[in-house]
Amino acid sequence: MNTIRISILILFLSFGLQQAQAQSYQFKTSGFSVLEKNEKGKWGEWSNLDLVNLSVILDTNKHRIVVYSMEIQLFNIEDYIEREENDTDIVYSFMCKDNDGKDCKLSIITRKKQDYRKQLYINYDDHIIVYNIFSV
């Protein structure tokens, strides 16, 4: 009987620890740019950087990323990709579905050689949106 109680206690403690690890991260944007493929399927040029002040929330409790633009961009996280790091970048990526159910990959990239500047990339097959972001 004690073994069952101990097993149940361990089970509850492990769920509690997993819950404690889930977090919410808040960012603000300072600008964004867009890159699109042309009719021939080749990448064009990045658009001029537009200044924009938006809130971005990465919520690992709800498995989603939300960009609070005029039209709210909701990305449901389907898969967490292992953190990558090299001499220049630290990358956290997520495979997501957007508001319309389209597949996309979101990456939060910290540029080590650029004063640890952060960027959020939203990658689709035919276009990429990048936001310059900072933690709040």
Side-chain angles (χ1 to χ4, degrees), residues 46-79:
W46 283 101
S47 67
N48 291 331
L49 185 72
D50 286 329
L51 301 180
V52 64
N53 182 12
L54 306 173
S55 291
V56 177
I57 307 291
L58 164 58
D59 188 338
T60 59
N61 291 319
K62 296 180 181 176
H63 306 289
R64 68 183 189 183
I65 298 170
V66 183
V67 179
Y68 290 94
S69 54
M70 291 271 281
E71 183 177 324
I72 293 176
Q73 302 170 62
L74 173 63
F75 302 94
N76 289 306
I77 300 171
E78 303 279 314
D79 191 23

Side-chain angles (χ1 to χ4, degrees), residues 27 29 31-35 43 46 49 56 65 67 73 75 81 88-96 103-111 114 117-124 127-133:
F27 303 94
T29 65
F32 81 99
S33 183
V34 178
L35 177 65
W43 290 106
W46 283 101
L49 185 72
V56 177
I65 298 170
V67 179
Q73 302 170 62
F75 302 94
I81 298 172
T88 59
D89 300 320
I90 303 168
V91 182
Y92 293 92
S93 294
F94 314 88
M95 295 307 299
C96 299
D103 291 327
C104 55
K105 179 181 177 183
L106 276 69
S107 298
I108 297 174
I109 301 176
T110 302
R111 306 290 184 184
Q114 298 177 19
R117 177 171 69 108
K118 291 181 179 8
Q119 295 181 301
L120 170 64
Y121 281 82
I122 304 170
N123 295 278
Y124 289 94
H127 69 284
I128 301 170
I129 303 166
V130 63
Y131 289 98
N132 290 327
I133 60 174

Side-chain angles (χ1 to χ4, degrees), residues 85-90 111-113:
E85 184 170 356
N86 57 39
D87 291 342
T88 59
D89 300 320
I90 303 168
R111 306 290 184 184
K112 292 163 122 182
K113 294 186 176 180

